[in-house]
PDB file of all heavy atoms in Angstrom:
ATOM      1  N   ASP A  94      29.354   6.281  28.670  1.00  0.00           N
ATOM      2  CA  ASP A  94      30.599   5.767  29.238  1.00  0.00           C
ATOM      3  C   ASP A  94      31.755   6.584  28.666  1.00  0.00           C
ATOM      4  O   ASP A  94      32.028   6.519  27.463  1.00  0.00           O
ATOM      5  CB  ASP A  94      30.752   4.297  28.868  1.00  0.00           C
ATOM      6  CG  ASP A  94      31.986   3.650  29.488  1.00  0.00           C
ATOM      7  OD1 ASP A  94      32.894   4.391  29.929  1.00  0.00           O
ATOM      8  OD2 ASP A  94      32.047   2.410  29.525  1.00  0.00           O
ATOM      9  N   PRO A  95      32.458   7.368  29.495  1.00  0.00           N
ATOM     10  CA  PRO A  95      33.516   8.240  28.962  1.00  0.00           C
ATOM     11  C   PRO A  95      34.706   7.474  28.392  1.00  0.00           C
ATOM     12  O   PRO A  95      35.470   8.030  27.595  1.00  0.00           O
ATOM     13  CB  PRO A  95      33.926   9.082  30.171  1.00  0.00           C
ATOM     14  CG  PRO A  95      33.539   8.253  31.364  1.00  0.00           C
ATOM     15  CD  PRO A  95      32.312   7.503  30.954  1.00  0.00           C
ATOM     16  N   ASN A  96      34.859   6.223  28.775  1.00  0.00           N
ATOM     17  CA  ASN A  96      35.955   5.423  28.215  1.00  0.00           C
ATOM     18  C   ASN A  96      35.659   5.008  26.780  1.00  0.00           C
ATOM     19  O   ASN A  96      36.575   4.891  25.962  1.00  0.00           O
ATOM     20  CB  ASN A  96      36.190   4.186  29.078  1.00  0.00           C
ATOM     21  CG  ASN A  96      36.685   4.526  30.468  1.00  0.00           C
ATOM     22  OD1 ASN A  96      37.550   5.379  30.633  1.00  0.00           O
ATOM     23  ND2 ASN A  96      36.111   3.878  31.472  1.00  0.00           N
ATOM     24  N   LYS A  97      34.396   4.774  26.489  1.00  0.00           N
ATOM     25  CA  LYS A  97      34.001   4.392  25.131  1.00  0.00           C
ATOM     26  C   LYS A  97      33.594   5.602  24.287  1.00  0.00           C
ATOM     27  O   LYS A  97      33.862   5.647  23.085  1.00  0.00           O
ATOM     28  CB  LYS A  97      32.836   3.402  25.182  1.00  0.00           C
ATOM     29  CG  LYS A  97      33.181   2.017  25.690  1.00  0.00           C
ATOM     30  CD  LYS A  97      31.968   1.098  25.569  1.00  0.00           C
ATOM     31  CE  LYS A  97      32.297  -0.327  25.934  1.00  0.00           C
ATOM     32  NZ  LYS A  97      31.126  -1.225  25.776  1.00  0.00           N
ATOM     33  N   TYR A  98      32.922   6.543  24.920  1.00  0.00           N
ATOM     34  CA  TYR A  98      32.388   7.712  24.214  1.00  0.00           C
ATOM     35  C   TYR A  98      32.801   8.976  24.962  1.00  0.00           C
ATOM     36  O   TYR A  98      32.014   9.566  25.703  1.00  0.00           O
ATOM     37  CB  TYR A  98      30.860   7.606  24.104  1.00  0.00           C
ATOM     38  CG  TYR A  98      30.411   6.401  23.315  1.00  0.00           C
ATOM     39  CD1 TYR A  98      30.126   5.185  23.948  1.00  0.00           C
ATOM     40  CD2 TYR A  98      30.284   6.462  21.928  1.00  0.00           C
ATOM     41  CE1 TYR A  98      29.731   4.066  23.222  1.00  0.00           C
ATOM     42  CE2 TYR A  98      29.885   5.353  21.199  1.00  0.00           C
ATOM     43  CZ  TYR A  98      29.611   4.157  21.852  1.00  0.00           C
ATOM     44  OH  TYR A  98      29.222   3.047  21.128  1.00  0.00           O
ATOM     45  N   PRO A  99      34.055   9.392  24.777  1.00  0.00           N
ATOM     46  CA  PRO A  99      34.574  10.526  25.555  1.00  0.00           C
ATOM     47  C   PRO A  99      33.924  11.861  25.224  1.00  0.00           C
ATOM     48  O   PRO A  99      33.912  12.763  26.063  1.00  0.00           O
ATOM     49  CB  PRO A  99      36.070  10.530  25.214  1.00  0.00           C
ATOM     50  CG  PRO A  99      36.165   9.816  23.907  1.00  0.00           C
ATOM     51  CD  PRO A  99      35.087   8.784  23.915  1.00  0.00           C
ATOM     52  N   ASP A 100      33.398  12.016  24.007  1.00  0.00           N
ATOM     53  CA  ASP A 100      32.795  13.299  23.610  1.00  0.00           C
ATOM     54  C   ASP A 100      31.548  13.027  22.774  1.00  0.00           C
ATOM     55  O   ASP A 100      31.550  13.173  21.551  1.00  0.00           O
ATOM     56  CB  ASP A 100      33.800  14.129  22.814  1.00  0.00           C
ATOM     57  CG  ASP A 100      33.363  15.579  22.647  1.00  0.00           C
ATOM     58  OD1 ASP A 100      32.167  15.873  22.876  1.00  0.00           O
ATOM     59  OD2 ASP A 100      34.218  16.422  22.286  1.00  0.00           O
ATOM     60  N   PRO A 101      30.462  12.609  23.420  1.00  0.00           N
ATOM     61  CA  PRO A 101      29.253  12.273  22.660  1.00  0.00           C
ATOM     62  C   PRO A 101      28.685  13.443  21.874  1.00  0.00           C
ATOM     63  O   PRO A 101      28.111  13.252  20.800  1.00  0.00           O
ATOM     64  CB  PRO A 101      28.281  11.783  23.737  1.00  0.00           C
ATOM     65  CG  PRO A 101      28.806  12.315  25.027  1.00  0.00           C
ATOM     66  CD  PRO A 101      30.280  12.386  24.870  1.00  0.00           C
ATOM     67  N   ASP A 102      28.851  14.646  22.401  1.00  0.00           N
ATOM     68  CA  ASP A 102      28.334  15.808  21.685  1.00  0.00           C
ATOM     69  C   ASP A 102      29.038  15.966  20.340  1.00  0.00           C
ATOM     70  O   ASP A 102      28.400  16.149  19.301  1.00  0.00           O
ATOM     71  CB  ASP A 102      28.521  17.057  22.542  1.00  0.00           C
ATOM     72  CG  ASP A 102      27.909  18.294  21.878  1.00  0.00           C
ATOM     73  OD1 ASP A 102      26.713  18.233  21.520  1.00  0.00           O
ATOM     74  OD2 ASP A 102      28.623  19.291  21.713  1.00  0.00           O
ATOM     75  N   ASP A 103      30.353  15.854  20.348  1.00  0.00           N
ATOM     76  CA  ASP A 103      31.113  15.966  19.106  1.00  0.00           C
ATOM     77  C   ASP A 103      30.793  14.813  18.166  1.00  0.00           C
ATOM     78  O   ASP A 103      30.666  15.009  16.944  1.00  0.00           O
ATOM     79  CB  ASP A 103      32.607  15.990  19.422  1.00  0.00           C
ATOM     80  CG  ASP A 103      33.464  16.146  18.175  1.00  0.00           C
ATOM     81  OD1 ASP A 103      33.466  17.246  17.585  1.00  0.00           O
ATOM     82  OD2 ASP A 103      34.111  15.154  17.773  1.00  0.00           O
ATOM     83  N   MET A 104      30.641  13.616  18.717  1.00  0.00           N
ATOM     84  CA  MET A 104      30.325  12.451  17.889  1.00  0.00           C
ATOM     85  C   MET A 104      28.984  12.643  17.172  1.00  0.00           C
ATOM     86  O   MET A 104      28.890  12.427  15.951  1.00  0.00           O
ATOM     87  CB  MET A 104      30.272  11.195  18.755  1.00  0.00           C
ATOM     88  CG  MET A 104      29.815   9.952  18.008  1.00  0.00           C
ATOM     89  SD  MET A 104      29.558   8.530  19.102  1.00  0.00           S
ATOM     90  CE  MET A 104      28.184   9.104  20.101  1.00  0.00           C
ATOM     91  N   ILE A 105      27.974  13.040  17.909  1.00  0.00           N
ATOM     92  CA  ILE A 105      26.647  13.184  17.309  1.00  0.00           C
ATOM     93  C   ILE A 105      26.635  14.330  16.309  1.00  0.00           C
ATOM     94  O   ILE A 105      26.015  14.236  15.239  1.00  0.00           O
ATOM     95  CB  ILE A 105      25.591  13.356  18.414  1.00  0.00           C
ATOM     96  CG1 ILE A 105      25.462  12.038  19.192  1.00  0.00           C
ATOM     97  CG2 ILE A 105      24.242  13.764  17.833  1.00  0.00           C
ATOM     98  CD1 ILE A 105      24.606  12.114  20.422  1.00  0.00           C
ATOM     99  N   GLN A 106      27.333  15.409  16.615  1.00  0.00           N
ATOM    100  CA  GLN A 106      27.432  16.502  15.649  1.00  0.00           C
ATOM    101  C   GLN A 106      28.141  16.048  14.379  1.00  0.00           C
ATOM    102  O   GLN A 106      27.776  16.465  13.269  1.00  0.00           O
ATOM    103  CB  GLN A 106      28.165  17.682  16.278  1.00  0.00           C
ATOM    104  CG  GLN A 106      27.346  18.452  17.299  1.00  0.00           C
ATOM    105  CD  GLN A 106      28.033  19.739  17.732  1.00  0.00           C
ATOM    106  OE1 GLN A 106      28.596  20.467  16.918  1.00  0.00           O
ATOM    107  NE2 GLN A 106      28.001  20.017  19.020  1.00  0.00           N
ATOM    108  N   THR A 107      29.171  15.190  14.540  1.00  0.00           N
ATOM    109  CA  THR A 107      29.873  14.664  13.368  1.00  0.00           C
ATOM    110  C   THR A 107      28.925  13.859  12.488  1.00  0.00           C
ATOM    111  O   THR A 107      28.884  14.034  11.266  1.00  0.00           O
ATOM    112  CB  THR A 107      31.060  13.784  13.805  1.00  0.00           C
ATOM    113  OG1 THR A 107      32.000  14.582  14.519  1.00  0.00           O
ATOM    114  CG2 THR A 107      31.743  13.154  12.601  1.00  0.00           C
ATOM    115  N   PHE A 108      28.150  12.978  13.104  1.00  0.00           N
ATOM    116  CA  PHE A 108      27.188  12.193  12.334  1.00  0.00           C
ATOM    117  C   PHE A 108      26.149  13.098  11.661  1.00  0.00           C
ATOM    118  O   PHE A 108      25.820  12.915  10.484  1.00  0.00           O
ATOM    119  CB  PHE A 108      26.484  11.173  13.233  1.00  0.00           C
ATOM    120  CG  PHE A 108      27.318   9.953  13.535  1.00  0.00           C
ATOM    121  CD1 PHE A 108      27.549   9.550  14.841  1.00  0.00           C
ATOM    122  CD2 PHE A 108      27.864   9.207  12.514  1.00  0.00           C
ATOM    123  CE1 PHE A 108      28.304   8.425  15.120  1.00  0.00           C
ATOM    124  CE2 PHE A 108      28.628   8.073  12.768  1.00  0.00           C
ATOM    125  CZ  PHE A 108      28.845   7.685  14.080  1.00  0.00           C
ATOM    126  N   HIS A 109      25.650  14.062  12.402  1.00  0.00           N
ATOM    127  CA  HIS A 109      24.641  14.950  11.830  1.00  0.00           C
ATOM    128  C   HIS A 109      25.200  15.766  10.666  1.00  0.00           C
ATOM    129  O   HIS A 109      24.475  16.071   9.710  1.00  0.00           O
ATOM    130  CB  HIS A 109      24.085  15.871  12.907  1.00  0.00           C
ATOM    131  CG  HIS A 109      23.135  15.187  13.847  1.00  0.00           C
ATOM    132  ND1 HIS A 109      22.617  15.788  14.969  1.00  0.00           N
ATOM    133  CD2 HIS A 109      22.597  13.936  13.820  1.00  0.00           C
ATOM    134  CE1 HIS A 109      21.813  14.945  15.595  1.00  0.00           C
ATOM    135  NE2 HIS A 109      21.784  13.820  14.915  1.00  0.00           N
ATOM    136  N   SER A 110      26.476  16.114  10.728  1.00  0.00           N
ATOM    137  CA  SER A 110      27.088  16.861   9.625  1.00  0.00           C
ATOM    138  C   SER A 110      27.157  16.024   8.355  1.00  0.00           C
ATOM    139  O   SER A 110      27.271  16.566   7.247  1.00  0.00           O
ATOM    140  CB  SER A 110      28.493  17.334  10.012  1.00  0.00           C
ATOM    141  OG  SER A 110      29.404  16.243  10.078  1.00  0.00           O
ATOM    142  N   LEU A 111      27.078  14.706   8.524  1.00  0.00           N
ATOM    143  CA  LEU A 111      27.077  13.781   7.389  1.00  0.00           C
ATOM    144  C   LEU A 111      25.654  13.342   7.024  1.00  0.00           C
ATOM    145  O   LEU A 111      25.475  12.418   6.238  1.00  0.00           O
ATOM    146  CB  LEU A 111      27.915  12.546   7.722  1.00  0.00           C
ATOM    147  CG  LEU A 111      29.403  12.794   8.012  1.00  0.00           C
ATOM    148  CD1 LEU A 111      30.048  11.543   8.601  1.00  0.00           C
ATOM    149  CD2 LEU A 111      30.126  13.223   6.741  1.00  0.00           C
ATOM    150  N   ASN A 112      24.660  14.024   7.618  1.00  0.00           N
ATOM    151  CA  ASN A 112      23.248  13.666   7.414  1.00  0.00           C
ATOM    152  C   ASN A 112      22.953  12.242   7.868  1.00  0.00           C
ATOM    153  O   ASN A 112      22.150  11.526   7.251  1.00  0.00           O
ATOM    154  CB  ASN A 112      22.835  13.859   5.955  1.00  0.00           C
ATOM    155  CG  ASN A 112      22.863  15.303   5.519  1.00  0.00           C
ATOM    156  OD1 ASN A 112      22.445  16.188   6.267  1.00  0.00           O
ATOM    157  ND2 ASN A 112      23.371  15.562   4.334  1.00  0.00           N
TER     158      ASN A 112
END
Side-chain angles (χ1 to χ4, degrees):
D94 183 343
N96 295 317
K97 289 185 174 182
Y98 298 92
D100 193 344
D102 184 53
D103 182 71
M104 174 187 65
I105 292 172
Q106 286 189 42
T107 297
F108 282 126
H109 285 173
S110 71
L111 298 168
N112 294 319

